Structure formats: C-alpha cells, structure tokens
Amino acid sequence: MSGLRILVGVKRVIDYAVKVRVKPDKMGVVTDGVKHSMNPFDEIAVEEAVRMKEKKVASEILAVSCGPQQCQETLRTALAMGADKAIHVLVDPKDYTNMQPIHVSKLLAKIATDEKVDLIILGKQAIDDDCNQTGQMVSALLDWSQGTFASKIEKKDGTLDVTREIDGGLETINITLPAVITTDLRLNEPRYATLPNIMKAKKKSLTTKKPGDLGVEIKSTQQILSVEDPPTREAGQKVESVEELVGKLKEGGFVKS
Amino acid sequence: MFSRINRLYSVSNKTLLQRFKSTLVIAEHNNEALTPVTLNTVTAASQIGDVTCLVAGENCGKVAEELSKVAGVTKVLVADSAAYKGFLAESLTPLVLAVQKQFNFEYLFAPASAVGKSLMPRVAAKLDVSPISEITGVKGEDTFVRTIYAGNAIQTLKTSDAIKVLTVRGTAFEAAQTSGGSGTIEQAPSVEEKNNKTKFINQEIHKSDRPDLASARIVISGGRGMKNGENFGMLYELADKMHAAVGASRAAVDAGFVPNDMQIGQTGKIVAPDLYIAVGISGAIQHLAGMKDSKVIVAINKDPEAPIFQVSDYGLVQDLFKAIPEMSEQV
C-alpha cells in the first residue's frame, strides 16, 4: 500500500484555554472576538498523517474544513504542519449555525470519493459541540471500516493495526483499507509549524467549494431551544488541618466515625 | 368541571403515549455481566416508554437473564454469535438495523461509553438521522439536554428525526433496579451482512480490585502534583481504606504516572460520585468537565490560588505528601 492518499478533517473551534461565555439571549455562546484555533484532536490527526508521509506510507495529504471564511486560517495551519493541499467547504453563517456532524460527514464522504482517498483521519471529537460522531458517520456512509479513539496506528501488510483507548484499558483491532480513524490524545505530540513552513503554506493549493457543489443540503433536524450556564456550585470552605477535613468527611458519612 | 375532565384526559393521554413509545436499549456487557451504565441507560429510556433491550455477544445468555429481571425492561432480544466478539461497530450495526427494521423503535439508546460512542453514530448515519450524544436529561419525547464546551454550557435541543438515536451519560441518571422486572427473552432477528472489514485482535484491561471509576461512590484523583507513578501508592492506600476508586488528571496520564483509562475529564471519563477528592490537581477546565457534578468535592493542593478551590466544598491548602499519609492514618 505504498502511497496512501489521506484526508484529514480540521475544525476551527474556540481555543481550548478560553472560558466560554453564554450569550444573554441564551441561544449560544459568544464567539465574536474570541480566540479560535484548530480543534486539538484535529492537530493530532494532521500530525499522524504527516508522520505517515514521512515514513513513506502516505503519498499525499488533503486537509478539509467545512465552515465560514475564517476556516481558511485553520487550513493554512494544517498546510504549514505538512498537508499538501486543502479544500475549504465554504458554508454561509446562517447554514453554519444549523450544521450538524451528519452534514459534515456527507461532505467529507463525497470529497473522499471524488479525491480517491484511502484513509480518513479525524479527531475523535470537537471540543465545542463534544459530539464524537463525525468519524463514525463518515465511515458508515462510505461503508468503510472504522478505528475510533486511536492511540497507535501500525501498518501491517495491506491493513492497519489500530490500538484503541476503551473503558478499562486498551484494545487492538485490525482494519482493512479504505478506512476512517479518529484520534485520541495519546496518539502523538503535534509539531509546531515553523515560520518557513508557514510561508511555504501560503503557496500551497487551497480550493473553495460550496456544499451545493458536493450535492449536500444543510437542513437541520435539530433545533436548539436554549444554551445556559451550568449551575454554579456554592462557595466552599477552607479547612485548616487534616483532622478538620476528616471530621467533615465523618459528618458527611464518607468515613466511619 | 371542564378542568377536571381535561386533567383526566391529559393523564390518560400520557399513559397512552408511554405505552406506544417504543425504546430499544443496546445493553453493554462483557458476556458475563451487565456493565453498570446499562442500568442508568434503562432509566433514561423508561422515561419515554416501554424498554426493549438488545444483548449481542458470545455466550451472553446469562446477561440476558440478568437483564430480564431489571425493573422497566419488558423484552430482551438476544443475538448470540461469535460474530459479536469484541463488540465491533461494523458487526453490531447490521444487527441493530435488522432489529430496527423488524420492530420499528422510535428511540435507540446506548450508554455513552467507548462501545456506545463507536456504534451509535454509525447506526444513525445508516438511518440518515442526527444522533444526540451524551444526554444528561429527558425533557420531553423529542427534547433532550446535553452539555457542550466541556460542560461549560448546557444545551437543550429538540429533534424532528423520526428515529431518535441517543447516547446516555450514565452519571446523569439513577441506575434501574436489578430486580422486579419480568421481561420476556426472545431471539433477535438473524443478520445476513457479515463484517469482514475489521477484526478484533485483543484487549488489555487493567485489572483492579477497587470499585469501577464510573460508578464508584468515592473517587480519589491525583494530578501532576503527585510527581511520579510510585507516589500514587499513597492514593491507592487511602482509596482502599475508603473503598474508593482512583482517577487521574490528564497531566498525570501524559506524564506516564498512571494508565490512560484512569483519566477523568472532557476527553476521559465523566464521573459524579458522592465524594471526589482531588489531590495535586490544579483544576483546568477540561478536568472540571469530568467531575464537577460530584456531590461533595474536596481539594488538597499546596497552591491556594489553584482553580480547583473555586469548586471544592472543602479545601485544604497543604503539601499532599504530608496530608495524604496523615489522612490514611485517620480514616
């Protein structure tokens, strides 16, 4: 399987370190003027694809992002990390608020078919909607095998051994190509894009498409009724000593008195 | 008078609705016993209507028996085959679709565990519907509650999909009673489509005598402040005295102190025990996402400015290497 063609999906999300604020109208969170960056799991996906290319397992890496104009910055980051070319599926802001993983899955499945991709690597979840759905859905739409929550990927003849993070430990499965893999945090340590690579990335090909060009209609079946702050916890108290702490735990019935 | 009639009508209407809504719960188990989170999922599903459970596995008859006695379960469908070894999504999806085709459930539920998260979006895509992940509440027959942004916002959403595919956050629902039910056991429809795409190789489950992290009443977690893996021995000693499970922050996992499956947080496990003791954990947003619904939170940290103290009920500002051995002596 020399020369796999890999598609990596990247999403632009509010930076993981930002404390989000719910909008006063309770219909979403404040995104204007808030720092955005590439979804951390997607950085891991890009890094893994680049490493596969460096090991000559992969021949070409295509980065794809679906969303508003600013997604192009996220794609440029992927190109600077080592992706070869990028496709931006430009979604207008009105449709973007209605976009769900199923729509992204349909778009990615169509691009994967058009571009004759062998392997799709996506993050296991986006840290904004926390859905953890897109990889599994793309895999279903294409009828490909899936290796979710991957912490290790090893080439084995014409197949891949994927070690997965599961409840209680690890599991290894063998998947036949073509396939979809979603990344867990432990898969790798993503590299930083260097300035020369950032400059080079500006010259790489970035094509823009519309969902309609790919035959996908963004019609939502879900309506957000409200987005609210979680209940705040009542202020606690500081205790002065271990004795006092254990005393409190005894009062609470957690420790036998 | 009219209001009384109306009230009667609405009551009977509600029971009618309950009877006619059909829910399927995909049971999680290890062929020997049910995974506890299945019981929480049954509770979520029974808020909508009659609960049928699907047990797929290899020699899983014992699990089907166990499930038929769970309160609220009316029917158990069993699919016993070597094909379900490893509970691969590619093998289970055709089965769930065959069951769905025969019985036309309106709701498909599974626990939001590694198996459920892998399977349900695959099923939903095949049914061309939008799944809803990790619900924490059922507000109505089409309205569900879940968290977004690492638990920093709560979203209520309404779906118009004819088949609702949902995964359930176990800690948000009580466990169903394991007795009192009288479900019938039936064979699930047979499936023609065979998975030849993916093969299960092996599993390495970290054995422990301590309670399961996701369902433990008390959880003690260590973070970067533990400094190394050996020092976790102190937490294990304390945990054994308190009958607690031991968890960790991402920092402790990344530093190699403990295995990945002990990680609590947005990208690890979500726990909501009665008592959570955070030791040497600063309290990053991503960690809080996994434990802030705990009933009582205790923080032990030498940094008085650590954000964990903003959510803790009892905070002790002290060096953990002094505090934990002292605590072990006193409990």
Side-chain angles (χ1 to χ4, degrees):
Chain A
M1 62 174 186
S2 66
L4 290 183
R5 293 171 61 81
I6 302 183
L7 183 158
V8 288
V10 292
K11 184 176 185 183
R12 175 180 179 268
V13 298
I14 292 182
D15 190 83
Y16 75 95
V18 171
K19 175 99 178 70
V20 295
R21 280 183 301 128
V22 169
K23 282 187 196 164
D25 69 357
K26 294 190 187 315
M27 290 311 289
V29 304
V30 178
T31 54
D32 289 344
V34 174
K35 186 187 176 197
H36 282 66
S37 44
M38 189 191 293
N39 181 40
F41 290 99
D42 301 347
E43 288 185 352
I44 296 170
V46 175
E47 175 66 31
E48 195 64 19
V50 174
R51 288 185 191 190
M52 287 173 107
K53 194 176 171 194
E54 287 167 348
K55 285 188 218 150
K56 310 255 186 276
V57 174
S59 60
E60 190 176 51
I61 303 165
L62 167 66
V64 179
S65 189
C66 309
Q69 190 61 34
Q70 298 96 313
C71 289
Q72 295 202 359
E73 294 158 25
T74 313
L75 286 169
R76 290 288 172 204
T77 307
L79 292 169
M81 286 175 74
D84 297 292
K85 59 177 192 175
I87 294 178
H88 174 214
V89 182
L90 178 64
V91 183
D92 67 55
K94 184 175 63 63
D95 282 343
Y96 192 58
T97 55
N98 287 323
M99 197 148 96
Q100 296 163 353
I102 195 165
H103 305 119
V104 180
S105 307
K106 287 176 179 175
L107 292 166
L108 294 180
K110 180 68 169 65
I111 293 171
T113 310
D114 290 351
E115 298 284 331
K116 300 189 169 50
V117 162
D118 307 290
L119 179 64
I120 300 177
I121 311 181
L122 306 176
K124 81 164 178 184
Q125 76 192 61
I127 60 162
D128 51 2
D129 62 24
D130 282 334
C131 276
N132 195 332
Q133 298 170 350
T134 306
Q136 295 88 313
M137 296 180 92
V138 178
S139 171
L141 294 171
L142 292 166
D143 243 322
W144 290 3
S145 31
Q146 68 181 44
T148 46
F149 327 144
S151 61
K152 198 167 145 197
I153 305 169
E154 272 181 307
K155 182 188 153 186
K156 206 169 188 188
D157 304 321
T159 63
L160 298 174
D161 272 358
V162 179
T163 304
R164 307 178 53 226
E165 295 200 8
I166 56 164
D167 304 326
L170 296 171
E171 167 182 291
T172 306
I173 58 171
N174 178 265
I175 61 175
T176 311
L177 292 164
V180 178
I181 289 177
T182 70
T183 62
D184 216 318
L185 281 173
R186 248 71 58 179
L187 184 60
N188 61 46
E189 191 75 46
R191 69 193 65 192
Y192 289 102
T194 59
L195 188 59
N197 286 342
I198 293 169
M199 300 311 286
K200 270 187 240 164
K202 291 185 177 166
K203 298 202 179 79
K204 289 184 181 174
S205 141
L206 194 159
T207 324
T208 301
K209 294 188 180 198
K210 292 274 180 65
D213 303 337
L214 297 159
V216 176
E217 191 192 357
I218 297 176
K219 205 175 144 203
S220 176
T221 55
Q222 289 176 359
Q223 186 195 348
I224 311 287
L225 299 183
S226 70
V227 173
E228 290 175 58
D229 283 312
T232 48
R233 294 187 74 98
E234 278 178 44
Q237 60 181 103
K238 290 266 170 72
V239 292
E240 294 303 321
S241 65
V242 170
E243 285 83 12
E244 196 185 341
L245 177 59
V246 172
K248 296 286 182 196
L249 296 182
K250 281 178 180 165
E251 277 172 40
F254 298 112
V255 176
K256 281 191 213 106
S257 38
Chain B
M1 186 179 81
F2 281 111
S3 68
R4 183 152 174 239
I5 289 170
N6 269 334
R7 201 161 57 228
L8 280 173
Y9 177 76
S10 69
V11 167
S12 61
N13 191 28
K14 194 180 166 217
T15 38
L16 270 180
L17 264 179
Q18 283 239 328
R19 194 176 319 141
F20 289 126
K21 296 290 172 195
S22 54
T23 71
L24 179 73
V25 169
I26 292 143
E28 192 162 313
H29 62 93
N30 60 3
N31 290 318
E32 292 291 321
L34 279 175
T35 309
V37 69
T38 300
L39 298 172
N40 309 89
T41 308
V42 166
T43 300
S46 49
Q47 293 185 14
I48 305 275
D50 281 349
V51 180
T52 300
C53 288
L54 173 65
V55 179
E58 208 180 355
N59 300 320
C60 55
K62 210 169 110 187
V63 178
E65 285 286 333
E66 189 186 343
L67 201 47
S68 68
K69 298 188 185 85
V70 170
V73 174
T74 55
K75 196 192 306 187
V76 180
L77 297 167
V78 187
D80 205 319
S81 162
Y84 305 124
K85 186 182 167 74
F87 310 105
L88 298 170
E90 293 89 325
S91 309
L92 292 172
T93 300
L95 171 67
V96 176
L97 295 174
V99 168
Q100 176 57 23
K101 199 175 168 200
Q102 181 170 337
F103 296 95
N104 289 312
F105 292 103
E106 288 159 273
Y107 300 80
L108 306 179
F109 284 89
S113 58
V115 174
K117 286 175 178 174
S118 292
L119 172 67
M120 296 310 263
R122 194 172 178 99
V123 169
K126 291 285 188 190
L127 296 168
D128 196 23
V129 300
S130 263
I132 304 176
S133 297
E134 286 210 67
I135 59 162
T136 55
V138 176
K139 278 237 171 126
E141 59 183 62
D142 55 5
T143 308
F144 303 93
V145 184
R146 59 185 301 271
T147 66
I148 52 175
Y149 290 96
N152 284 297
I154 296 175
Q155 185 187 56
T156 303
L157 56 86
K158 187 181 164 112
T159 171
S160 59
D161 279 318
I163 306 167
K164 292 145 188 85
V165 177
L166 309 131
T167 59
V168 174
R169 180 174 293 176
T171 57
F173 297 87
E174 295 290 320
Q177 296 295 321
T178 51
S179 62
S182 53
T184 55
I185 299 181
E186 287 177 28
Q187 286 296 314
S190 62
V191 177
E192 279 169 32
E193 190 188 330
K194 290 280 174 273
N195 161 36
N196 51 14
K197 299 182 182 81
T198 309
K199 282 193 284 290
F200 173 81
I201 311 274
N202 64 42
Q203 265 185 4
E204 287 169 54
I205 300 293
H206 298 113
K207 292 261 182 262
S208 165
D209 295 333
R210 288 181 200 95
D212 172 51
L213 200 50
S215 51
R217 193 174 152 258
I218 302 177
V219 172
I220 304 176
S221 281
R224 197 196 307 271
M226 296 304 296
K227 293 210 166 75
N228 61 44
E230 287 80 68
N231 289 335
F232 263 76
M234 289 190 313
L235 295 191
Y236 296 138
E237 193 190 325
L238 179 59
D240 289 340
K241 288 194 166 168
M242 297 183 74
H243 306 289
V246 178
S249 69
R250 183 184 164 192
V253 172
D254 282 352
F257 301 170
V258 291
N260 308 342
D261 57 303
M262 283 171 64
Q263 185 184 325
I264 289 168
Q266 182 184 22
T267 59
K269 291 194 171 63
I270 313 273
V271 300
D274 291 343
L275 173 64
Y276 187 90
I277 305 181
V279 183
I281 292 176
S282 63
I285 296 172
Q286 291 78 10
H287 185 74
L288 299 183
M291 46 63 79
K292 68 178 178 184
D293 291 328
S294 306
K295 290 206 181 74
V296 175
I297 297 173
V298 169
I300 300 173
N301 204 305
K302 66 180 176 192
D303 174 11
E305 303 299 320
I308 191 78
F309 287 123
Q310 290 163 22
V311 299
S312 62
D313 300 276
Y314 304 114
L316 175 64
V317 181
Q318 203 178 78
D319 185 358
L320 68 94
F321 294 102
K322 182 172 175 288
I324 298 300
E326 253 184 66
M327 237 180 122
S328 278
E329 272 174 38
Q330 294 181 28
V331 297

